[in-house]
Amino acid sequence: LAGSMAVLNLRALTSWVGIARILAVVLACLAFSLVASTRAFGGPYGTWCMFTWCFCFAVTLLVLLLELLELYPKLPLSWDDFTSAFSMLAALMVFTSSVVFPSTFIKSPCSGDKCARQAVATAASCLCFLAYALEVGLTRAKPGDISSFLSTVPGLLKVFEVYVACLIFSLLEYRLEPGLRWCVAVYSICFIITLLIIIFTIGRCLAYIPCPLDKVLVGYNTLALLMYITATILWPLYSFRGRSRPNNCNENCWWNKRLGITFLTIFNLIAYLVDLVYSTRMVFIRTP
């Protein structure tokens, strides 16, 4: 009877990482429950925020249960890489929702029960972001430890690069000038390759690649950095040359969207630069 009983790993709940995950689950649940009670989350931005809180709540709860019951070793994936990538992704998603939701749905002057629930939901979302950021910090690999690639700085940056590319795609228009099509090609190529690196790492498939993987990643980061340098120059050049901001420009205005893509391109350029620096150090500078 004792051998058939399930073994509970209580450390999954009592460790600092477990506590951070429990806080994230509670705060995400509080955020989407309060927003759902207001029935005011229509449109693409509200749908995105609700999806973010529900998705992060569900996956984090699943992670807690799998670690509590010690079922995760049976999964055909690298658990440490998966949890590191997800915590980074969840932190980015919740941070975006914490900015988008109040700026879209909380209007001034703000009063009444509906406004109070929206404000508390925003505060819960901000605290949820801090919980995921704490998990990222606690699970990040120490210098010299590369047993879990996605918990290293280059691995976490790859999750950031993919997420920023997704934000860029969400702002793109269907019809673009020929000068901007190269930039879209840059975003797409780098997104696909970086996403494949993440998927292959979680699926433990990188070991089957018949080449020195660490040097290949350095070469890819160099190429991606050069491509993003061209996009950083060409996107604002062809987007705003000879054009001024329209007078009645709202959040759906083409000018605001292209300005947002400009800043997101710069963010990814910086990310690929830092990624290249860290990857180069990991490959060519061995610390004792």
Side-chain angles (χ1 to χ4, degrees), residues 219-278:
Y220 163 67
N221 289 333
T222 304
L223 178 62
L225 177 64
L226 295 175
M227 294 173 69
Y228 258 90
I229 289 175
T230 62
T232 305
I233 297 173
L234 295 178
W235 182 267
L237 177 64
Y238 283 96
S239 293
F240 305 112
R241 184 175 58 180
R243 298 182 178 182
S244 58
R245 187 174 187 270
N247 295 327
N248 56 346
C249 196
N250 54 24
E251 63 271 9
N252 294 320
C253 177
W254 66 268
W255 199 93
N256 285 344
K257 289 183 177 181
R258 293 193 177 186
L259 181 63
I261 293 174
T262 301
F263 283 104
L264 291 172
T265 303
I266 296 173
F267 292 158
N268 246 3
L269 172 67
I270 297 173
Y272 277 108
L273 175 61
V274 178
D275 192 353
L276 176 61
V277 171
Y278 270 90

Short mmCIF file of all heavy atoms in Angstrom, two decimals, residues 219-278:
data_model
loop_
_atom_site.label_atom_id
_atom_site.label_comp_id
_atom_site.label_asym_id
_atom_site.label_seq_id
_atom_site.Cartn_x
_atom_site.Cartn_y
_atom_site.Cartn_z
N GLY A 219 27.56 32.46 -34.54
CA GLY A 219 27.45 32.92 -35.92
C GLY A 219 26.06 33.42 -36.26
O GLY A 219 25.90 34.46 -36.93
N TYR A 220 25.04 32.71 -35.77
CA TYR A 220 23.67 33.16 -36.02
C TYR A 220 23.39 34.49 -35.34
O TYR A 220 22.75 35.37 -35.93
CB TYR A 220 22.68 32.11 -35.52
CG TYR A 220 21.28 32.66 -35.38
CD1 TYR A 220 20.56 33.06 -36.51
CD2 TYR A 220 20.70 32.83 -34.13
CE1 TYR A 220 19.28 33.60 -36.38
CE2 TYR A 220 19.43 33.37 -34.00
CZ TYR A 220 18.73 33.74 -35.12
OH TYR A 220 17.47 34.29 -35.01
N ASN A 221 23.84 34.66 -34.09
CA ASN A 221 23.63 35.93 -33.40
C ASN A 221 24.30 37.09 -34.13
O ASN A 221 23.76 38.20 -34.18
CB ASN A 221 24.15 35.84 -31.97
CG ASN A 221 23.30 34.95 -31.09
OD1 ASN A 221 22.10 34.79 -31.33
ND2 ASN A 221 23.89 34.35 -30.07
N THR A 222 25.47 36.82 -34.70
CA THR A 222 26.17 37.86 -35.47
C THR A 222 25.36 38.25 -36.70
O THR A 222 25.17 39.43 -37.00
CB THR A 222 27.56 37.37 -35.88
OG1 THR A 222 28.30 36.98 -34.73
CG2 THR A 222 28.31 38.47 -36.63
N LEU A 223 24.86 37.23 -37.42
CA LEU A 223 24.06 37.50 -38.62
C LEU A 223 22.76 38.22 -38.25
O LEU A 223 22.35 39.19 -38.93
CB LEU A 223 23.75 36.19 -39.33
CG LEU A 223 22.88 36.29 -40.59
CD1 LEU A 223 23.57 37.14 -41.65
CD2 LEU A 223 22.57 34.89 -41.14
N ALA A 224 22.09 37.78 -37.18
CA ALA A 224 20.84 38.42 -36.77
C ALA A 224 21.07 39.86 -36.36
O ALA A 224 20.25 40.75 -36.66
CB ALA A 224 20.22 37.63 -35.62
N LEU A 225 22.19 40.12 -35.68
CA LEU A 225 22.51 41.50 -35.28
C LEU A 225 22.70 42.38 -36.51
O LEU A 225 22.17 43.50 -36.57
CB LEU A 225 23.77 41.51 -34.42
CG LEU A 225 24.28 42.88 -33.99
CD1 LEU A 225 23.26 43.58 -33.08
CD2 LEU A 225 25.62 42.76 -33.27
N LEU A 226 23.43 41.90 -37.51
CA LEU A 226 23.64 42.68 -38.73
C LEU A 226 22.32 42.94 -39.46
O LEU A 226 22.09 44.05 -39.97
CB LEU A 226 24.63 41.96 -39.65
CG LEU A 226 26.06 41.81 -39.11
CD1 LEU A 226 26.89 40.96 -40.05
CD2 LEU A 226 26.70 43.18 -38.90
N MET A 227 21.46 41.94 -39.50
CA MET A 227 20.17 42.11 -40.17
C MET A 227 19.30 43.13 -39.43
O MET A 227 18.64 43.97 -40.05
CB MET A 227 19.45 40.77 -40.26
CG MET A 227 20.13 39.75 -41.17
SD MET A 227 19.38 38.11 -41.11
CE MET A 227 17.81 38.44 -41.90
N TYR A 228 19.31 43.09 -38.10
CA TYR A 228 18.52 44.05 -37.34
C TYR A 228 19.09 45.46 -37.43
O TYR A 228 18.35 46.44 -37.30
CB TYR A 228 18.40 43.60 -35.88
CG TYR A 228 17.07 42.96 -35.58
CD1 TYR A 228 16.88 41.60 -35.74
CD2 TYR A 228 15.98 43.72 -35.19
CE1 TYR A 228 15.65 41.00 -35.50
CE2 TYR A 228 14.75 43.15 -34.94
CZ TYR A 228 14.59 41.79 -35.10
OH TYR A 228 13.36 41.23 -34.87
N ILE A 229 20.39 45.59 -37.63
CA ILE A 229 20.96 46.92 -37.85
C ILE A 229 20.38 47.55 -39.11
O ILE A 229 20.00 48.73 -39.13
CB ILE A 229 22.50 46.84 -37.93
CG1 ILE A 229 23.09 46.53 -36.55
CG2 ILE A 229 23.09 48.16 -38.45
CD1 ILE A 229 24.59 46.32 -36.56
N THR A 230 20.28 46.74 -40.18
CA THR A 230 19.69 47.26 -41.42
C THR A 230 18.21 47.61 -41.22
O THR A 230 17.73 48.63 -41.72
CB THR A 230 19.82 46.23 -42.55
OG1 THR A 230 19.09 45.04 -42.21
CG2 THR A 230 21.28 45.88 -42.78
N ALA A 231 17.47 46.77 -40.47
CA ALA A 231 16.05 47.06 -40.23
C ALA A 231 15.88 48.30 -39.37
O ALA A 231 14.94 49.09 -39.58
CB ALA A 231 15.39 45.86 -39.56
N THR A 232 16.77 48.50 -38.41
CA THR A 232 16.69 49.69 -37.55
C THR A 232 16.88 50.97 -38.35
O THR A 232 16.30 52.02 -38.02
CB THR A 232 17.75 49.61 -36.43
OG1 THR A 232 17.58 48.38 -35.71
CG2 THR A 232 17.62 50.77 -35.47
N ILE A 233 17.66 50.88 -39.42
CA ILE A 233 17.90 52.06 -40.26
C ILE A 233 16.78 52.23 -41.29
O ILE A 233 16.25 53.33 -41.49
CB ILE A 233 19.27 51.94 -40.96
CG1 ILE A 233 20.40 51.93 -39.92
CG2 ILE A 233 19.46 53.09 -41.96
CD1 ILE A 233 21.76 51.64 -40.52
N LEU A 234 16.40 51.13 -41.94
CA LEU A 234 15.47 51.22 -43.06
C LEU A 234 14.03 51.44 -42.62
O LEU A 234 13.27 52.13 -43.31
CB LEU A 234 15.56 49.95 -43.91
CG LEU A 234 16.89 49.71 -44.63
CD1 LEU A 234 16.85 48.40 -45.39
CD2 LEU A 234 17.19 50.86 -45.59
N TRP A 235 13.60 50.84 -41.49
CA TRP A 235 12.20 50.97 -41.10
C TRP A 235 11.79 52.42 -40.87
O TRP A 235 10.81 52.89 -41.48
CB TRP A 235 11.89 50.11 -39.88
CG TRP A 235 10.45 50.20 -39.50
CD1 TRP A 235 9.88 51.05 -38.60
CD2 TRP A 235 9.37 49.46 -40.08
NE1 TRP A 235 8.52 50.87 -38.55
CE2 TRP A 235 8.18 49.91 -39.45
CE3 TRP A 235 9.29 48.45 -41.05
CZ2 TRP A 235 6.93 49.38 -39.78
CZ3 TRP A 235 8.05 47.93 -41.36
CH2 TRP A 235 6.89 48.40 -40.73
N PRO A 236 12.46 53.19 -40.00
CA PRO A 236 12.03 54.59 -39.84
C PRO A 236 12.29 55.43 -41.08
O PRO A 236 11.55 56.38 -41.35
CB PRO A 236 12.86 55.07 -38.64
CG PRO A 236 14.03 54.16 -38.59
CD PRO A 236 13.56 52.84 -39.08
N LEU A 237 13.31 55.08 -41.86
CA LEU A 237 13.62 55.86 -43.05
C LEU A 237 12.48 55.80 -44.05
O LEU A 237 12.03 56.82 -44.58
CB LEU A 237 14.92 55.35 -43.68
CG LEU A 237 15.35 56.02 -44.99
CD1 LEU A 237 15.66 57.49 -44.75
CD2 LEU A 237 16.55 55.31 -45.59
N TYR A 238 11.98 54.60 -44.32
CA TYR A 238 10.91 54.44 -45.31
C TYR A 238 9.52 54.66 -44.71
O TYR A 238 8.56 54.88 -45.45
CB TYR A 238 10.99 53.05 -45.94
CG TYR A 238 12.08 52.91 -46.97
CD1 TYR A 238 13.32 52.37 -46.62
CD2 TYR A 238 11.90 53.32 -48.28
CE1 TYR A 238 14.33 52.24 -47.56
CE2 TYR A 238 12.91 53.20 -49.23
CZ TYR A 238 14.12 52.66 -48.87
OH TYR A 238 15.13 52.54 -49.80
N SER A 239 9.40 54.59 -43.38
CA SER A 239 8.09 54.76 -42.76
C SER A 239 7.69 56.22 -42.62
O SER A 239 6.53 56.59 -42.80
CB SER A 239 8.07 54.09 -41.38
OG SER A 239 8.17 52.69 -41.50
N PHE A 240 8.66 57.09 -42.30
CA PHE A 240 8.32 58.48 -41.94
C PHE A 240 8.90 59.51 -42.90
O PHE A 240 8.72 60.70 -42.69
CB PHE A 240 8.82 58.78 -40.52
CG PHE A 240 8.32 57.82 -39.49
CD1 PHE A 240 9.19 56.94 -38.85
CD2 PHE A 240 6.98 57.76 -39.15
CE1 PHE A 240 8.72 56.05 -37.90
CE2 PHE A 240 6.51 56.87 -38.20
CZ PHE A 240 7.38 56.01 -37.58
N ARG A 241 9.60 59.06 -43.93
CA ARG A 241 10.21 60.02 -44.86
C ARG A 241 9.12 60.79 -45.62
O ARG A 241 8.30 60.20 -46.32
CB ARG A 241 11.12 59.30 -45.84
CG ARG A 241 11.87 60.22 -46.79
CD ARG A 241 12.84 59.44 -47.65
NE ARG A 241 12.16 58.39 -48.42
CZ ARG A 241 12.79 57.56 -49.24
NH1 ARG A 241 14.11 57.62 -49.37
NH2 ARG A 241 12.10 56.64 -49.91
N GLY A 242 9.09 62.09 -45.45
CA GLY A 242 8.12 62.93 -46.13
C GLY A 242 6.70 62.81 -45.59
O GLY A 242 5.76 63.26 -46.25
N ARG A 243 6.52 62.25 -44.40
CA ARG A 243 5.20 62.07 -43.81
C ARG A 243 5.19 62.65 -42.40
O ARG A 243 6.13 62.44 -41.64
CB ARG A 243 4.80 60.60 -43.76
CG ARG A 243 4.72 59.94 -45.13
CD ARG A 243 4.28 58.49 -44.98
NE ARG A 243 4.14 57.83 -46.28
CZ ARG A 243 3.74 56.58 -46.43
NH1 ARG A 243 3.43 55.85 -45.37
NH2 ARG A 243 3.63 56.05 -47.64
N SER A 244 4.12 63.34 -42.08
CA SER A 244 3.95 63.88 -40.74
C SER A 244 2.83 63.13 -40.02
O SER A 244 2.02 62.45 -40.66
CB SER A 244 3.63 65.38 -40.78
OG SER A 244 2.45 65.60 -41.55
N ARG A 245 2.77 63.27 -38.73
CA ARG A 245 1.75 62.57 -37.95
C ARG A 245 0.38 63.18 -38.21
O ARG A 245 0.20 64.39 -38.12
CB ARG A 245 2.08 62.68 -36.45
CG ARG A 245 1.19 61.84 -35.54
CD ARG A 245 1.70 61.92 -34.12
NE ARG A 245 0.98 61.01 -33.24
CZ ARG A 245 -0.12 61.33 -32.57
NH1 ARG A 245 -0.62 62.56 -32.68
NH2 ARG A 245 -0.72 60.45 -31.80
N PRO A 246 -0.63 62.35 -38.54
CA PRO A 246 -1.99 62.88 -38.78
C PRO A 246 -2.55 63.54 -37.53
O PRO A 246 -2.20 63.19 -36.40
CB PRO A 246 -2.79 61.63 -39.16
CG PRO A 246 -1.77 60.64 -39.61
CD PRO A 246 -0.55 60.91 -38.81
N ASN A 247 -3.45 64.49 -37.74
CA ASN A 247 -4.03 65.22 -36.61
C ASN A 247 -4.91 64.33 -35.74
O ASN A 247 -4.88 64.41 -34.51
CB ASN A 247 -4.83 66.42 -37.12
CG ASN A 247 -3.93 67.44 -37.79
OD1 ASN A 247 -2.78 67.62 -37.39
ND2 ASN A 247 -4.44 68.11 -38.82
N ASN A 248 -5.72 63.50 -36.34
CA ASN A 248 -6.63 62.63 -35.60
C ASN A 248 -6.06 61.21 -35.51
O ASN A 248 -6.66 60.24 -35.94
CB ASN A 248 -8.01 62.59 -36.27
CG ASN A 248 -7.92 62.18 -37.73
OD1 ASN A 248 -6.84 62.16 -38.31
ND2 ASN A 248 -9.06 61.82 -38.31
N CYS A 249 -4.89 61.10 -34.93
CA CYS A 249 -4.18 59.82 -34.86
C CYS A 249 -4.45 59.16 -33.51
O CYS A 249 -4.01 59.66 -32.47
CB CYS A 249 -2.68 60.05 -35.05
SG CYS A 249 -1.75 58.55 -35.44
N ASN A 250 -5.19 58.03 -33.52
CA ASN A 250 -5.47 57.29 -32.29
C ASN A 250 -4.56 56.08 -32.19
O ASN A 250 -3.56 55.97 -32.91
CB ASN A 250 -6.95 56.88 -32.25
CG ASN A 250 -7.37 56.12 -33.50
OD1 ASN A 250 -6.52 55.52 -34.17
ND2 ASN A 250 -8.65 56.13 -33.80
N GLU A 251 -4.91 55.13 -31.27
CA GLU A 251 -4.03 53.97 -31.08
C GLU A 251 -3.99 53.06 -32.30
O GLU A 251 -3.05 52.28 -32.46
CB GLU A 251 -4.49 53.16 -29.86
CG GLU A 251 -5.88 52.56 -29.98
CD GLU A 251 -6.96 53.49 -29.48
OE1 GLU A 251 -6.65 54.67 -29.21
OE2 GLU A 251 -8.12 53.06 -29.35
N ASN A 252 -4.98 53.14 -33.20
CA ASN A 252 -4.99 52.32 -34.41
C ASN A 252 -4.42 53.04 -35.62
O ASN A 252 -4.48 52.52 -36.73
CB ASN A 252 -6.42 51.86 -34.72
CG ASN A 252 -6.97 50.91 -33.66
OD1 ASN A 252 -6.25 50.05 -33.18
ND2 ASN A 252 -8.23 51.08 -33.29
N CYS A 253 -3.89 54.22 -35.41
CA CYS A 253 -3.34 55.02 -36.50
C CYS A 253 -2.05 54.37 -37.02
O CYS A 253 -1.23 53.86 -36.24
CB CYS A 253 -3.07 56.44 -36.02
SG CYS A 253 -2.29 57.50 -37.24
N TRP A 254 -1.85 54.41 -38.32
CA TRP A 254 -0.67 53.80 -38.92
C TRP A 254 0.61 54.43 -38.40
O TRP A 254 1.64 53.75 -38.24
CB TRP A 254 -0.72 53.92 -40.45
CG TRP A 254 -0.63 55.35 -40.95
CD1 TRP A 254 -1.66 56.19 -41.21
CD2 TRP A 254 0.57 56.09 -41.21
NE1 TRP A 254 -1.19 57.42 -41.62
CE2 TRP A 254 0.18 57.39 -41.64
CE3 TRP A 254 1.93 55.79 -41.13
CZ2 TRP A 254 1.11 58.37 -41.97
CZ3 TRP A 254 2.86 56.78 -41.46
CH2 TRP A 254 2.44 58.05 -41.88
N TRP A 255 0.59 55.73 -38.11
CA TRP A 255 1.80 56.42 -37.66
C TRP A 255 2.23 55.90 -36.29
O TRP A 255 3.42 55.65 -36.06
CB TRP A 255 1.52 57.93 -37.60
CG TRP A 255 2.74 58.79 -37.60
CD1 TRP A 255 3.36 59.35 -38.67
CD2 TRP A 255 3.49 59.19 -36.45
NE1 TRP A 255 4.45 60.09 -38.26
CE2 TRP A 255 4.56 60.01 -36.90
CE3 TRP A 255 3.38 58.95 -35.08
CZ2 TRP A 255 5.49 60.57 -36.05
CZ3 TRP A 255 4.31 59.50 -34.22
CH2 TRP A 255 5.35 60.30 -34.70
N ASN A 256 1.27 55.74 -35.38
CA ASN A 256 1.59 55.23 -34.05
C ASN A 256 2.10 53.79 -34.12
O ASN A 256 3.02 53.40 -33.39
CB ASN A 256 0.36 55.30 -33.15
CG ASN A 256 0.08 56.73 -32.69
OD1 ASN A 256 0.93 57.60 -32.79
ND2 ASN A 256 -1.12 56.96 -32.21
N LYS A 257 1.49 52.98 -34.99
CA LYS A 257 1.93 51.60 -35.11
C LYS A 257 3.36 51.51 -35.64
O LYS A 257 4.18 50.73 -35.14
CB LYS A 257 0.98 50.83 -36.04
CG LYS A 257 -0.39 50.56 -35.43
CD LYS A 257 -1.25 49.73 -36.37
CE LYS A 257 -2.59 49.40 -35.74
NZ LYS A 257 -3.45 48.57 -36.64
N ARG A 258 3.66 52.34 -36.64
CA ARG A 258 5.02 52.30 -37.20
C ARG A 258 6.05 52.85 -36.22
O ARG A 258 7.19 52.40 -36.18
CB ARG A 258 5.05 53.06 -38.52
CG ARG A 258 4.23 52.39 -39.61
CD ARG A 258 4.52 52.96 -40.99
NE ARG A 258 3.77 52.24 -42.02
CZ ARG A 258 3.93 52.45 -43.32
NH1 ARG A 258 4.80 53.36 -43.75
NH2 ARG A 258 3.22 51.75 -44.18
N LEU A 259 5.62 53.82 -35.40
CA LEU A 259 6.53 54.31 -34.36
C LEU A 259 6.79 53.22 -33.33
O LEU A 259 7.92 53.04 -32.87
CB LEU A 259 5.93 55.55 -33.69
CG LEU A 259 6.79 56.21 -32.60
CD1 LEU A 259 8.10 56.73 -33.19
CD2 LEU A 259 6.03 57.34 -31.92
N GLY A 260 5.73 52.48 -32.97
CA GLY A 260 5.91 51.37 -32.04
C GLY A 260 6.85 50.31 -32.59
O GLY A 260 7.70 49.77 -31.86
N ILE A 261 6.73 49.98 -33.88
CA ILE A 261 7.62 49.01 -34.49
C ILE A 261 9.06 49.52 -34.48
O ILE A 261 10.01 48.75 -34.29
CB ILE A 261 7.15 48.70 -35.92
CG1 ILE A 261 5.81 47.97 -35.89
CG2 ILE A 261 8.19 47.87 -36.67
CD1 ILE A 261 5.20 47.74 -37.26
N THR A 262 9.23 50.82 -34.67
CA THR A 262 10.58 51.40 -34.62
C THR A 262 11.25 51.14 -33.29
O THR A 262 12.40 50.69 -33.22
CB THR A 262 10.52 52.91 -34.91
OG1 THR A 262 9.94 53.14 -36.19
CG2 THR A 262 11.92 53.51 -34.87
N PHE A 263 10.53 51.42 -32.19
CA PHE A 263 11.10 51.20 -30.86
C PHE A 263 11.31 49.72 -30.58
O PHE A 263 12.32 49.33 -29.98
CB PHE A 263 10.20 51.82 -29.79
CG PHE A 263 10.34 53.32 -29.68
CD1 PHE A 263 9.37 54.16 -30.19
CD2 PHE A 263 11.46 53.87 -29.08
CE1 PHE A 263 9.51 55.53 -30.09
CE2 PHE A 263 11.61 55.25 -28.98
CZ PHE A 263 10.63 56.09 -29.48
N LEU A 264 10.37 48.87 -31.00
CA LEU A 264 10.52 47.43 -30.79
C LEU A 264 11.71 46.88 -31.56
O LEU A 264 12.41 45.98 -31.08
CB LEU A 264 9.24 46.70 -31.18
CG LEU A 264 8.02 46.95 -30.29
CD1 LEU A 264 6.77 46.33 -30.90
CD2 LEU A 264 8.25 46.41 -28.89
N THR A 265 11.95 47.42 -32.75
CA THR A 265 13.12 47.00 -33.52
C THR A 265 14.41 47.36 -32.79
O THR A 265 15.35 46.56 -32.74
CB THR A 265 13.10 47.66 -34.91
OG1 THR A 265 11.89 47.34 -35.58
CG2 THR A 265 14.28 47.19 -35.75
N ILE A 266 14.44 48.54 -32.19
CA ILE A 266 15.62 48.95 -31.42
C ILE A 266 15.81 48.04 -30.20
O ILE A 266 16.94 47.64 -29.87
CB ILE A 266 15.49 50.42 -31.00
CG1 ILE A 266 15.48 51.33 -32.24
CG2 ILE A 266 16.62 50.82 -30.06
CD1 ILE A 266 15.19 52.78 -31.94
N PHE A 267 14.70 47.69 -29.54
CA PHE A 267 14.79 46.79 -28.38
C PHE A 267 15.39 45.44 -28.79
O PHE A 267 16.26 44.90 -28.08
CB PHE A 267 13.41 46.57 -27.76
CG PHE A 267 12.83 47.79 -27.11
CD1 PHE A 267 11.47 47.91 -26.91
CD2 PHE A 267 13.64 48.84 -26.70
CE1 PHE A 267 10.92 49.03 -26.32
CE2 PHE A 267 13.11 49.97 -26.11
CZ PHE A 267 11.73 50.07 -25.92
N ASN A 268 14.93 44.90 -29.92
CA ASN A 268 15.47 43.61 -30.35
C ASN A 268 16.91 43.74 -30.82
O ASN A 268 17.70 42.80 -30.66
CB ASN A 268 14.59 43.03 -31.47
CG ASN A 268 13.88 41.77 -31.03
OD1 ASN A 268 14.00 41.34 -29.87
ND2 ASN A 268 13.14 41.15 -31.92
N LEU A 269 17.26 44.87 -31.41
CA LEU A 269 18.65 45.09 -31.79
C LEU A 269 19.56 45.04 -30.57
O LEU A 269 20.61 44.38 -30.58
CB LEU A 269 18.79 46.45 -32.49
CG LEU A 269 20.22 46.92 -32.79
CD1 LEU A 269 20.87 46.01 -33.83
CD2 LEU A 269 20.22 48.37 -33.28
N ILE A 270 19.15 45.69 -29.51
CA ILE A 270 19.93 45.67 -28.26
C ILE A 270 19.98 44.26 -27.69
O ILE A 270 21.03 43.80 -27.20
CB ILE A 270 19.34 46.66 -27.24
CG1 ILE A 270 19.42 48.09 -27.78
CG2 ILE A 270 20.05 46.55 -25.90
CD1 ILE A 270 18.71 49.12 -26.92
N ALA A 271 18.85 43.55 -27.76
CA ALA A 271 18.80 42.18 -27.24
C ALA A 271 19.76 41.27 -28.00
O ALA A 271 20.50 40.47 -27.38
CB ALA A 271 17.38 41.64 -27.32
N TYR A 272 19.79 41.36 -29.32
CA TYR A 272 20.70 40.53 -30.11
C TYR A 272 22.16 40.92 -29.85
O TYR A 272 23.05 40.05 -29.89
CB TYR A 272 20.37 40.63 -31.59
CG TYR A 272 19.24 39.71 -32.02
CD1 TYR A 272 17.99 40.20 -32.34
CD2 TYR A 272 19.44 38.34 -32.09
CE1 TYR A 272 16.95 39.37 -32.73
CE2 TYR A 272 18.41 37.49 -32.48
CZ TYR A 272 17.17 38.01 -32.79
OH TYR A 272 16.15 37.16 -33.18
N LEU A 273 22.41 42.20 -29.59
CA LEU A 273 23.78 42.62 -29.27
C LEU A 273 24.24 42.02 -27.95
O LEU A 273 25.35 41.46 -27.86
CB LEU A 273 23.84 44.15 -29.22
CG LEU A 273 25.17 44.76 -28.77
CD1 LEU A 273 26.29 44.35 -29.73
CD2 LEU A 273 25.06 46.28 -28.69
N VAL A 274 23.40 42.13 -26.92
CA VAL A 274 23.75 41.55 -25.62
C VAL A 274 23.85 40.03 -25.73
O VAL A 274 24.74 39.41 -25.13
CB VAL A 274 22.71 41.96 -24.56
CG1 VAL A 274 23.03 41.32 -23.21
CG2 VAL A 274 22.66 43.48 -24.42
N ASP A 275 22.96 39.42 -26.50
CA ASP A 275 22.99 37.98 -26.72
C ASP A 275 24.32 37.57 -27.34
O ASP A 275 24.94 36.57 -26.93
CB ASP A 275 21.82 37.60 -27.63
CG ASP A 275 21.59 36.09 -27.68
OD1 ASP A 275 22.40 35.34 -27.12
OD2 ASP A 275 20.58 35.67 -28.27
N LEU A 276 24.78 38.32 -28.33
CA LEU A 276 26.05 38.01 -28.99
C LEU A 276 27.22 38.13 -28.02
O LEU A 276 28.11 37.28 -27.99
CB LEU A 276 26.25 38.93 -30.19
CG LEU A 276 27.59 38.79 -30.94
CD1 LEU A 276 27.74 37.38 -31.50
CD2 LEU A 276 27.69 39.84 -32.04
N VAL A 277 27.20 39.18 -27.19
CA VAL A 277 28.29 39.38 -26.23
C VAL A 277 28.35 38.23 -25.24
O VAL A 277 29.42 37.65 -24.99
CB VAL A 277 28.11 40.73 -25.51
CG1 VAL A 277 29.12 40.85 -24.36
CG2 VAL A 277 28.27 41.89 -26.48
N TYR A 278 27.21 37.86 -24.68
CA TYR A 278 27.19 36.77 -23.70
C TYR A 278 27.52 35.43 -24.33
O TYR A 278 28.25 34.61 -23.75
CB TYR A 278 25.82 36.71 -23.01
CG TYR A 278 25.72 37.55 -21.77
CD1 TYR A 278 25.31 38.87 -21.83
CD2 TYR A 278 26.05 37.03 -20.51
CE1 TYR A 278 25.23 39.65 -20.69
CE2 TYR A 278 25.98 37.80 -19.37
CZ TYR A 278 25.56 39.11 -19.46
OH TYR A 278 25.48 39.88 -18.33
#
